Amino acid sequence: AQWGANRIGARRLAALARRHGSAEVCRASGRLRDHGERRLRAALAEASERVGGRRLRFEDHLEAADGELVPVRVEVTLTPDRVVADFGGTGAARRGVPSAVEAVTRACLEFALRCCVGGDVPRNGGASRLLHLVAPIGSVVAAAPPVPVGAGNVEASQRIADVLLGALAPAFPDRVGAASQGTMNNVLVGSDAGAATEPFVYYETVAGGQGGRPGAPGQNGIHTGMTNTANTPVESIETAFPLRVVRYGLRRGSGGAGAHPGGEGIVRDLLVLVDATVSLVTERRQVLPWGLAGGGPGAVGENWLLRGGDEARAERLPAKCTIHLEAGDVLRMLTPGGGGWGPAG
C-alpha cells in the first residue's frame, strides 16, 4: 500500500510540475519547508524561555534478557534555533538487549517533538532542520553490526521516546504526560518443528495503560508511543490458530495514582491447544512506568505460565524467553499500567 501510494504521489507531482513548471513547484515546496521551520522556531523560543536555557536531562532503563538494567540517558539542549538531543552515557548494545539503529532514534526525536509542539507546526523537512541528534555508535540508540536489532522498533523505541518526553516535560508542561506502559508485549507462538499439526505462526503485541496527562486520565488498554499496532479480535485468533483466549480484560489497579491517574493495563490468558513454542519479548517487568508532576508510577508487567491451566502450578516467566508449551498450557500476560500525572487528591 505504501509503495503504491508513493508511486501515485510521484506521478501526480510530475503532472503538477508539467502544468506549472518544475521551478515553481520547487519554490512552493521550499516555502512550505521554510514555514515549518519558522513555526517550530516560534515554539522553541517559548519553550527555551520557560526552562531558562538549562539543559534537560532524563534517564530510564531497558531490561536485558539476563536481568541487567541498561541505562538510556539523554541531555536535551533547547534554544530558539535548535534542539540537540545527546544520548552520551547510554548503555552499550549487545545480544539480549533491545537495541535500535540510529534511524529509529531519529524517528523517536521527531515523534517526541511532534507530541510537544502540537499540530500547528507542519510536518515537513523544514521543521526537521532544527533537530540534531548525538547518538554514540555501538550504544542501544545507535547499534552497529553484528548486534541484533529485531526489537529496536518495538521495544527500544518505546524507551527512547520515554526519555525524550521525560526530558522535554519541563519545557512543555501542558503537553507531556506520565510514562505509558513503555512496551509492546510481543508474543510469538509457533508450531513445533516436525509436529503432526498444521504448521502455524502467530505474532501479536498486547496493549497496556497510557500515562495520565495534563487535564485527563490515561486511557486503558491501548497502544501508545512509537507503535502502529492494534488489537486482534479474539474471533480471528481462534479461527486461524489452535489457540483459545480464555481471559481478556483490564488489569484493575495497575494505573498509577494521581490527579489524573494512569490507564489500566490488560490481563490475558492464552490457551494453546497443541504443543507449541512461545517467545516473549517484553519490557517494564522490572522498571516502573514513571509518574509525572507528583503522580505515582504504574505497575510493572508480569508474564506467567500455568501448566495445564492450573493456577496452583503458575510459574513466573522472565521478560524475554523462549519456552515449550504443551497442549492445555496457558500463557498469562499482565501488561503494565501507565504512570499518574499530578499529585493524588
Side-chain angles (χ1 to χ4, degrees), residues 143-192:
V147 172
V149 292
N153 277 336
V154 290
E155 296 300 312
S157 65
Q158 294 275 339
R159 196 65 64 254
I160 297 166
D162 281 346
V163 298
L164 285 166
L165 289 169
L168 291 166
F172 301 93
D174 59 341
R175 297 285 304 180
V176 178
S180 297
Q181 69 159 343
T183 177
M184 290 177 67
N185 303 297
N186 303 268
V187 181
L188 301 92
V189 185
S191 52
D192 287 343

Side-chain angles (χ1 to χ4, degrees), residues 1-11:
Q2 187 176 29
W3 178 80
N6 286 339
R7 282 178 60 86
I8 291 172
R11 192 161 60 240

Side-chain angles (χ1 to χ4, degrees), residues 85-167:
D86 187 343
F87 283 87
T90 290
R94 60 178 175 84
R95 287 184 63 87
V97 180
S99 303
V101 296
E102 185 176 335
V104 169
T105 302
R106 173 73 193 197
C108 293
L109 178 57
E110 299 266 358
F111 164 79
L113 259 295
R114 174 62 46 190
C115 291
C116 291
V117 300
D120 60 338
V121 176
R123 185 179 178 183
N124 61 34
S128 297
R129 295 169 186 161
L130 307 183
L131 308 185
H132 302 274
L133 174 66
V134 180
I137 300 299
S139 70
V140 295
V141 299
V147 172
V149 292
N153 277 336
V154 290
E155 296 300 312
S157 65
Q158 294 275 339
R159 196 65 64 254
I160 297 166
D162 281 346
V163 298
L164 285 166
L165 289 169

